[in-house]
Amino acid sequence: GQNIDQPTEMTATEGAIVQINCTYQTSGFNGLFWYQQHAGEAPTFLSYNVLDGLEEKGRFSSFLSRSKGYSYLLLKELQMKDSASYLCAVRDSNYQLIWGAGTKLIIKP
Amino acid sequence: IAGITQAPTSQILAAGRRMTLRCTQDMRHNAMYWYRQDLGLGLRLIHYSNTAGTTGKGEVPDGYSVSRANTDDFPLTLASAVPSQTSVYFCASSDKAGDYNEQFFGPGTRLTVL
């Protein structure tokens, strides 16, 4: 079967750095997405990786290792507004997104 | 610029009733999707449409139907609602079904079936 694993919840301190991991087992791979979802709101796109390596976008970076079925989202200089759930999704061989359950990130002052 | 709109925002429905959730996008995106989101589970694809006039089944299609008569609209119908269909429903769209294209999400419909 297809499976996306992420930690359920993480806590970090304002101004710090946090890494959210995602491991996947899917039928085929056509890219990995990270989305942010604030409570009660819709998911919004953060990043996309299709080749191995690091993609940097401001305070957020995303890393992919296809051979290990592994990705992480790195958030730097954490702000209170970064408190949200972070969703990892893999596009499979049918070009459909398979979603992880999300990681709830709690930022403390 | 509206993006994707969904209606209603929330609904309480008696079991056995028929219900249509509406979704409209103004981005002229080819592909559209319906997901449900339940606590502790990832988003699960119900139905999708790669282009107007075509639809396909996702991971959890039973009890739901869709139509795609034009590019902008993608309604989701529950023919006879059951309590297990209580969920938050998100409609999404993307420019094309494949390649890089990110999916844009509507604000969601919170549905409770009693």
Side-chain angles (χ1 to χ4, degrees):
Chain A
Q2 307 203 92
N3 197 47
I4 310 283
D5 284 320
Q6 309 178 230
T8 302
E9 186 174 297
M10 298 181 71
T11 302
T13 304
E14 190 177 15
I17 299 173
V18 71
Q19 177 175 312
I20 302 173
N21 296 325
C22 170
T23 58
Y24 63 89
Q25 289 179 305
T26 56
S27 57
F29 178 85
N30 285 296
L32 185 144
F33 293 78
W34 284 96
Y35 279 75
Q36 181 189 60
Q37 185 177 26
H38 285 101
E41 298 182 7
T44 55
F45 170 78
L46 284 178
S47 69
Y48 171 75
N49 295 73
V50 67
L51 299 176
D52 291 351
L54 190 68
E55 293 284 340
E56 297 186 80
K57 193 185 286 188
R59 293 190 299 116
F60 293 7
S61 302
S62 56
F63 172 83
L64 174 67
S65 169
R66 289 172 295 170
S67 63
K68 295 182 179 179
Y70 168 71
S71 173
Y72 67 73
L73 180 69
L74 192 71
L75 292 74
K76 304 175 185 176
E77 301 169 14
L78 286 169
Q79 303 174 9
M80 297 304 293
K81 67 179 182 179
D82 297 329
S83 291
S85 289
Y86 292 85
L87 314 181
C88 174
V90 172
R91 180 178 281 144
D92 69 7
S93 56
N94 293 318
Y95 280 84
Q96 300 300 342
L97 288 182
I98 308 301
W99 296 81
T103 298
K104 182 178 181 180
L105 178 63
I106 299 168
I107 310 296
K108 295 186 174 180
Chain B
I1 299 175
I4 301 182
T5 58
Q6 292 184 236
T9 302
S10 65
Q11 182 76 43
I12 299 175
L13 189 66
R17 298 296 296 269
R18 180 184 179 90
M19 175 75 191
T20 295
L21 308 185
R22 299 185 298 279
C23 174
T24 299
Q25 54 104 357
D26 63 2
M27 298 176 282
R28 307 303 293 172
H29 282 171
N30 287 303
M32 296 188 74
Y33 314 85
W34 273 106
Y35 292 95
R36 59 179 289 172
Q37 188 174 41
D38 302 291
L39 198 63
L41 299 177
L43 288 161
R44 291 183 291 168
L45 183 65
I46 304 170
H47 285 285
Y48 64 94
S49 168
N50 289 335
T51 189
T54 69
T55 62
K57 294 182 179 180
E59 180 186 355
V60 289
D62 293 344
Y64 306 94
S65 64
V66 292
S67 61
R68 186 87 184 279
N70 57 60
T71 298
D72 299 344
D73 301 301
F74 191 42
L76 176 74
T77 297
L78 289 68
S80 179
V82 295
S84 62
Q85 292 177 311
T86 293
S87 187
V88 179
Y89 290 86
F90 287 102
C91 179
S93 72
S94 64
D95 189 23
K96 290 187 291 186
D99 298 330
Y100 155 80
N101 296 275
E102 65 183 274
Q103 293 184 11
F104 294 84
F105 284 79
T109 293
R110 185 174 297 275
L111 181 67
T112 302
V113 182
L114 301 176

